Amino acid sequence: MLTMLLSIVGLQAYFAWPDLNKIGLAMVRLLTVTTTIGIILGSIFHQRIWCHICPMGTLGNYISEGKNQLNINEDKCTDCRLCSKVCPMQLKPFEYKKGGVMADNDCIKCSTCVVACPKKAINFEEHMKKAA
């Protein structure tokens, strides 16, 4: 998605060169189209769908992959769902308790869920492997 958006902007800037007004109009068109698509898809599917279209969201997803993951202790978690109620990204950490690690790259690591957990079943400490 990122490559496609950058290609569109690059091609439009190339064909509009050297007229700065036309280059600016190309940027406005791109922002209008992507915002409209984001609003429509957000109304139909998921309100945070924009993060899958936005170039910054796409880059952030790739950069954060596998880094500082949220750990969920299956034995301590009682499925109270407070973690999902306070999450600003509308994620559901309790759904990942079976694997022990939340593998969602949309997590912004704000620790709101860690603080809200009454059983202290969620943390960002290094994932400990269970003894074999």
Side-chain angles (χ1 to χ4, degrees), residues 36-101:
T36 304
I37 290 171
I39 290 170
I40 292 169
L41 292 176
S43 324
I44 296 170
F45 297 107
H46 187 271
Q47 60 190 6
R48 290 199 60 252
I49 197 82
W50 176 253
C51 294
H52 298 283
I53 296 171
C54 170
M56 288 304 293
T58 304
L59 280 175
N61 194 352
Y62 288 131
I63 291 170
S64 69
E65 190 168 356
K67 295 181 182 172
N68 199 19
Q69 294 178 324
L70 186 66
N71 302 311
I72 300 103
N73 186 324
E74 183 178 1
D75 299 329
K76 290 183 180 180
C77 181
T78 60
D79 280 330
C80 68
R81 300 178 183 217
L82 284 174
C83 52
S84 65
K85 291 176 184 172
V86 299
C87 180
M89 302 303 284
Q90 301 165 344
L91 302 176
K92 298 174 181 162
F94 66 90
E95 290 180 348
Y96 296 91
K97 75 177 187 177
K98 291 233 188 271
V101 177

